[in-house]
Amino acid sequence: MQLCANKLDKKDFFGKSDPFLVFYRSNEDGTFTICHKTEVVKNTLNPVWQPFSIPVRALCNGDYDRTVKIDVYDWDRDGSHDFIGEFTTSYRELSKAQNQFTVYEVLNPRKKCKKKKYVNSGTVTLLSFSVDSEFTFVDYIKGGTQLNFTVAIDFTASNGNPLQPTSLHYMSPYQLSAYAMALKAVGEIIQDYDSDKLFPAYGFGAKLPPEGRISHQFPLNNNDEDPNCAGIEGVLESYFQSLRTVQLYGPTYFAPVINQVARAAAKISDGSQYYILLIITDGVISDMTQTKEAIVSASSLPMSIIIVGVGPAMFEVCPIPRLCRPVGEPGAEHGPTCQGCAGGDPRAATVLYAHQGHPTSPATPCHPQPYTSSRASLNSPPNQCPAVCPPAHPLLLLKIRGTWNLGPHWEGSLEDQYWLVEPSAPSPAEGPGTVTTSLPSCQ
């Protein structure tokens, strides 16, 4: 809407008024809540305010006949704005006036009581008013939009051997794996909105038989021409079959499958179809830059991406992945801050992301506090205090909280702004144990 005013009261001793409008929504208890303020138009009694938009729910909370009160003020630099007057209207009244100019009298109750010949303190004119409907996703579903559901499952080696109970892909005869449970939970809801119940399903990060080619987008049903599976049960069946035939490897690339679905979504411009990509992963992304670019490119398309994390890894949103694996292991990642990851100890617990900020205060005394998990406790040696670099170097405070992952490598998690920790003792077997740690130097 857009409003202007005419012949408002002069409030400033030097010059004219600096008017602005304040919109109030009335509440059920008779009080009023501010829902909009216009800009201030300086030194005029006949201001024209800029057009503005406000949600209908903010203006009247869905009650078209609810009172909307509008106050007119003269702006003062010290915040003690002078009250010029007020008038009331409603959403229904405003909407009726959208094809004609409507004039409201600005009244000041105090002034009206004092002056017998008082008429008004000026007028406000509604210059334009229009209502634009914003359709929700539910509106599109009601209108017949079909959902196209695509699944992508992480087949990298970090998930563990599917034949071992510690694996996130473990094919137990008694219960579903973490991946299967996530797939079933999300898929069974979405499948009801897909009329043909045919879901393309892909895997990524595996070596495919017979030549051992690494693929980041292979159909779970082993049919490149038609990757569709019949319902969620069909997806699960193809997933289990792939686990028996492919070799879990790495690295973890999201971008190929995102781009695959985005190409299909780019062909839709009439709202008849909407694409949903479900990515289930253990949390380590190797192509973060490419993944960001793919998501940004797809942001204007009729497409949503659901990423479900399984397992104990850290899944906070961060610029780059948090965990890194030793060199030589399938899916190993090594960023510029992943120092020591290529060291001789294959059980090194490392973090790709290390905060590069500098300490702003001197180091505090060291009071090592062990963090105990169900499998092992990680302790700093009692007499070994965290090392803090001079301001020219990143912060090297040590604070450990980790768990044992009994597999081809050992993983621990570091909190906040902390650097590499290398276990200098052998990895213990299942059960309680202690790992001594060695801190890197500032160099």
Side-chain angles (χ1 to χ4, degrees):
M1 69 180 81
Q2 184 179 20
L3 302 100
C4 70
N6 187 41
K7 296 182 180 179
L8 296 176
D9 286 352
K10 180 178 180 295
K11 291 293 183 178
D12 292 339
F13 186 78
F14 297 103
K16 301 176 181 179
S17 297
D18 304 320
F20 67 96
L21 302 177
V22 181
F23 285 71
Y24 297 86
R25 180 189 70 244
S26 60
N27 302 316
E28 286 76 2
D29 60 357
T31 60
F32 289 89
T33 301
I34 295 177
C35 58
H36 183 75
K37 289 183 181 180
T38 68
E39 78 282 5
V40 176
V41 181
K42 293 293 189 70
N43 197 30
T44 179
L45 302 180
N46 303 294
V48 179
W49 290 282
Q50 293 293 323
F52 66 91
S53 298
I54 181 173
V56 173
R57 62 182 178 276
L59 188 67
C60 65
N61 201 27
D63 181 357
Y64 294 173
D65 296 310
R66 180 174 298 199
T67 299
V68 176
K69 186 165 74 79
I70 302 172
D71 287 353
V72 186
Y73 285 94
D74 168 43
W75 177 84
D76 286 332
R77 187 181 301 275
D78 61 1
S80 59
H81 311 309
D82 299 315
F83 178 70
I84 296 176
E86 65 184 15
F87 62 96
T88 60
T89 183
S90 66
Y91 170 83
R92 193 179 300 280
E93 184 178 332
L94 290 169
S95 61
K96 287 180 180 178
Q98 56 185 314
N99 297 320
Q100 59 185 9
F101 292 148
T102 301
V103 179
Y104 296 94
E105 285 191 300
V106 178
L107 302 177
N108 188 324
R110 291 185 179 180
K111 208 169 182 181
K112 187 176 181 179
C113 293
K114 292 180 179 179
K115 295 184 178 181
K116 293 183 179 180
K117 295 183 179 181
Y118 176 79
V119 179
N120 58 49
S121 295
T123 60
V124 170
T125 302
L126 179 65
L127 296 177
S128 63
F129 183 91
S130 62
V131 181
D132 297 324
S133 297
E134 294 182 349
F135 295 105
T136 66
F137 188 74
V138 174
D139 292 326
Y140 277 95
I141 296 297
K142 290 179 179 178
T145 295
Q146 291 295 302
L147 299 189
N148 294 293
F149 182 48
T150 302
V151 178
I153 297 177
D154 188 340
F155 278 77
T156 56
S158 59
N159 291 286
N161 187 339
L163 300 177
Q164 299 295 327
T166 54
S167 172
L168 297 172
H169 285 300
Y170 179 55
M171 294 184 289
S172 170
Y174 306 109
Q175 63 181 15
L176 295 175
S177 67
Y179 278 84
M181 284 192 291
L183 173 60
K184 196 174 179 66
V186 179
E188 286 186 343
I189 295 173
I190 295 178
Q191 70 175 352
D192 292 334
Y193 300 95
D194 193 316
S195 59
D196 61 11
K197 301 290 190 297
L198 295 177
F199 308 131
Y202 299 94
F204 56 89
K207 278 187 175 182
L208 306 184
E211 68 275 9
R213 174 178 60 91
I214 300 175
S215 176
H216 304 294
Q217 183 192 333
F218 61 90
L220 295 185
N221 63 2
N222 202 30
N223 187 342
D224 292 316
E225 299 299 325
D226 184 12
N228 291 321
C229 300
I232 295 303
E233 293 303 322
V235 175
L236 286 170
E237 183 180 344
S238 298
Y239 160 63
F240 294 138
Q241 182 61 34
S242 293
L243 284 177
R244 298 184 184 97
T245 56
V246 305
Q247 178 188 349
L248 273 60
Y249 204 72
T252 308
Y253 289 169
F254 282 8
V257 72
I258 293 176
N259 290 329
Q260 165 80 8
V261 177
R263 284 191 290 270
K267 300 176 183 178
I268 306 301
S269 59
D270 59 359
S272 62
Q273 297 185 61
Y274 193 89
Y275 288 79
I276 296 178
L277 170 61
L278 170 64
I279 300 177
I280 310 178
T281 180
D282 70 341
V284 183
I285 305 175
S286 307
D287 64 337
M288 183 62 75
T289 299
Q290 292 82 354
T291 296
K292 287 180 182 178
E293 292 174 353
I295 293 174
V296 170
S297 298
S299 61
S300 60
L301 301 176
M303 172 181 173
S304 290
I305 301 171
I306 303 172
I307 301 178
V308 176
V310 296
M314 295 181 290
F315 294 98
E316 306 98 289
V317 176
C318 59
I320 52 179
R322 293 292 184 122
L323 296 179
C324 134
R325 303 187 187 93
V327 168
E329 179 189 334
E333 299 170 295
H334 304 285
T337 61
C338 193
Q339 300 180 10
C341 201
D345 191 341
R347 289 164 277 105
T350 59
V351 174
L352 256 176
Y353 177 70
H355 184 64
Q356 296 296 325
H358 302 312
T360 57
S361 60
T364 56
C366 172
H367 300 288
Q369 297 293 330
Y371 285 79
T372 303
S373 73
S374 60
R375 295 187 179 175
S377 62
L378 308 178
N379 301 328
S380 295
N383 298 322
Q384 186 175 13
C385 292
V388 180
C389 286
H393 297 278
L395 188 62
L396 289 186
L397 291 176
L398 172 65
K399 189 176 184 183
I400 311 174
R401 181 181 61 189
T403 58
W404 292 109
N405 184 351
L406 302 180
H409 63 286
W410 179 86
E411 283 183 357
S413 61
L414 304 184
E415 295 181 330
D416 302 326
Q417 304 172 359
Y418 307 111
W419 204 250
L420 171 67
V421 176
E422 294 182 350
S424 55
S427 176
E430 182 89 23
T434 300
V435 167
T436 57
T437 60
S438 60
L439 287 167
S441 67
C442 290
Q443 287 71 34

